[in-house]
């Protein structure tokens, strides 16, 4: 199907270099990024600080000119480096919620909210503007606060006001750059649920930026994982967690045990037999299209909750994917037990609900469940 019909935003081969500052080794802040934002979906750009998320968002908003590439929005080309096409930010069908909310302190709450209706793409006048703003304020939980000064709102309330204002611009796409990062942890968790339910309620397509993997997993239909200006993987949250394509994604999302692979060969039942420093590991998962023969190297990846532990010591014979290890530390965390065991000098993190009595120095056998163990090419 045509990418333009089902997508609100289509990004193709976007690159951006800033004036290079002395000592900076990265030539591109973003380096050949392509992804789609399907209509009505909540898509998140996730990656560590400095990986190019804000730059991507600012290029989409038209606040930066990309060096190469193309941006389409609602079927229209709003940017094309080659054809030197650049539609002005105010003419793009978007609204941006910046990290700092961008609330005007000299305006009352209702006037902040009504701003895009009075000054935006589709200008309106008269009493219905205030009426519409009041309705929206009520919908985001700010009923009765319309005539306060914007500075009299708490952080969470300012966040909601910024959202109300963005929505009143009637955007095709809402762009949100780390909108919860200035709030404390508890409020952040509450507001992320709220934001998601507003998004569903208004059916507005959203492109969200965060460095917080929990936030990305909890809120998104699709996550675009970025690293050093490039896209590492685009997937649904569950797929990203269960089928990471690289050690970077595995490590950034959740926690992962990663064992370097010295040599890989085809194993039983289509699995990969990977030789690692703890021994040969059978991995049933590998990235689609990955050719085993050509991917010696890479990593075995197993989540802490996919490692089983049982008492070992003399007399215990390791089964397939099972290795003798010694308990190095054991932490009781209420809902689970977190262990670090060492096998052939390599630490392995284990998360278990087993009521196994563990103590430091205890000999155990750890089993890596082959059905949830991956062989990653890089
Ligand atoms: P993120 O939002 O993921 O933290 P940014 O997009 O802000 O990342 O930055 C990506 C890279 O581009 C970083 O290396 C940053 O230092 C650089 N960068 C961002 N803005 C500018 C600028 N105005 N001038 C020069 N370099 C910049
Ligand atoms: Mg940023």
């Amino acid at each position: 199907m045509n990418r333009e019909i089902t997508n609100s935003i289509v990004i193709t081969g976007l690159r951006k270099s800033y004036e290079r500052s002395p000592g900076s080794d990265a030539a591109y802040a973003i380096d050949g990024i392509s992804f789609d934002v399907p209509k009505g979906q909540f898509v998140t750009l996730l990656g560590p600080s400095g990986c190019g998320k804000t730059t991507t968002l600012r290029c989409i908003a038209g606040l930066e000119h990309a060096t190469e590439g193309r941006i389409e929005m609602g079927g229209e080309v709003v940017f094309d480096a080659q054809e030197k096409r650049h539609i002005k930010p105010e003419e793009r069908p978007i609204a941006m919620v910046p990290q700092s909310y961008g609330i005007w302190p000299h305006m009352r709450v209702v006037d902040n909210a009504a701003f895009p209706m009075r000054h935006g793409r589709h200008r309106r006048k008269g009493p219905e503007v205030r009426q519409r703003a009041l309705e929206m304020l009520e919908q985001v939980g700010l009923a009765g606060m319309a005539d306060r000064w914007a500075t009299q709102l708490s952080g969470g309330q300012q966040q909601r006001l910024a959202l109300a204002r963005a929505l009143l611009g009637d955007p095709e796409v809402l762009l949100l750059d780390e909108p919860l990062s200035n709030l404390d942890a508890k409020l952040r968790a509450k507001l992320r649920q709220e934001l998601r339910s507003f998004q569903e309620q208004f059916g507005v397509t959203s492109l969200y930026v965060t460095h917080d993997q929990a936030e990305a997993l909890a809120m998104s239909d699709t996550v675009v994982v970025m690293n050093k200006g490039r896209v590492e993987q685009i997937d649904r949250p569950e797929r990203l967690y269960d089928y990471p394509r690289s050690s970077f994604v595995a490590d950034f999302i959740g926690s992962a045990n990663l064992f370097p692979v010295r040599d890989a060969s085809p194993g039983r039942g289509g699995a990969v037999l990977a030789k690692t420093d703890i021994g040969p590991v059978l991995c049933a998962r590998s990235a689609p299209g990955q050719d085993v023969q050509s991917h010696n190297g890479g990593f075995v990846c197993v989540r802490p909750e996919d490692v089983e532990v049982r008492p070992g010591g003399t007399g215990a014979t390791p089964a397939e994917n099972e290795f003798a290890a010694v308990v190095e530390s054991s932490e009781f965390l209420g809902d689970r037990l977190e262990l670090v065991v060492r096998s052939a000098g390599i630490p392995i993190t284990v998360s278990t609900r087993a009521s196994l009595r563990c103590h430091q120095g205890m000999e155990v056998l750890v089993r890596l469940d082959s059905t949830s163990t991956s062989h990653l090419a890089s």
Side-chain angles (χ1 to χ4, degrees), residues 110-149:
V110 66
D111 297 318
N112 262 286
F115 193 86
M117 288 191 286
R118 292 183 177 133
H119 305 277
R121 277 182 306 134
H122 316 290
R123 288 189 191 181
R124 283 186 275 170
K125 276 200 290 205
E128 74 269 19
V129 169
R130 184 179 158 90
Q131 196 47 45
R132 180 82 191 87
L134 288 175
E135 282 164 21
M136 182 62 81
L137 288 172
E138 196 176 316
Q139 278 175 293
V140 301
L142 295 177
M145 301 190 188
D147 292 309
R148 289 195 195 175
W149 293 108

Side-chain angles (χ1 to χ4, degrees), residues 16-21 24 26 28-30 46-58 64 99 177-178 209-211 226 229:
K16 167 78 186 166
S17 64
Y18 290 106
E19 289 291 308
R20 288 181 72 175
S21 49
S24 151
Y28 292 101
I30 51 173
L46 171 69
S49 174
C51 73
K53 305 179 297 293
T54 295
T55 302
T56 306
L57 218 58
R58 288 176 58 83
E64 298 284 356
Q99 195 168 346
D177 193 355
E178 312 235 12
V209 162
T210 184
H211 65 272
M226 289 178 66

Side-chain angles (χ1 to χ4, degrees), residues 70-82:
R70 198 152 77 125
I71 303 171
E72 288 147 83
M73 234 173 242
E76 194 200 350
V77 178
V78 296
F79 177 83
D80 191 313
Q82 216 166 10

Side-chain angles (χ1 to χ4, degrees), residues 109 142 145 148-155 157-158 161:
V109 168
L142 295 177
M145 301 190 188
R148 289 195 195 175
W149 293 108
T151 46
Q152 292 173 303
L153 299 184
S154 70
Q157 289 167 336
Q158 289 193 19
L161 173 56

Side-chain angles (χ1 to χ4, degrees), residues 166-177:
L167 289 169
L168 284 167
D170 200 17
E172 161 100 21
V173 183
L174 200 57
L175 305 177
L176 304 116
D177 193 355

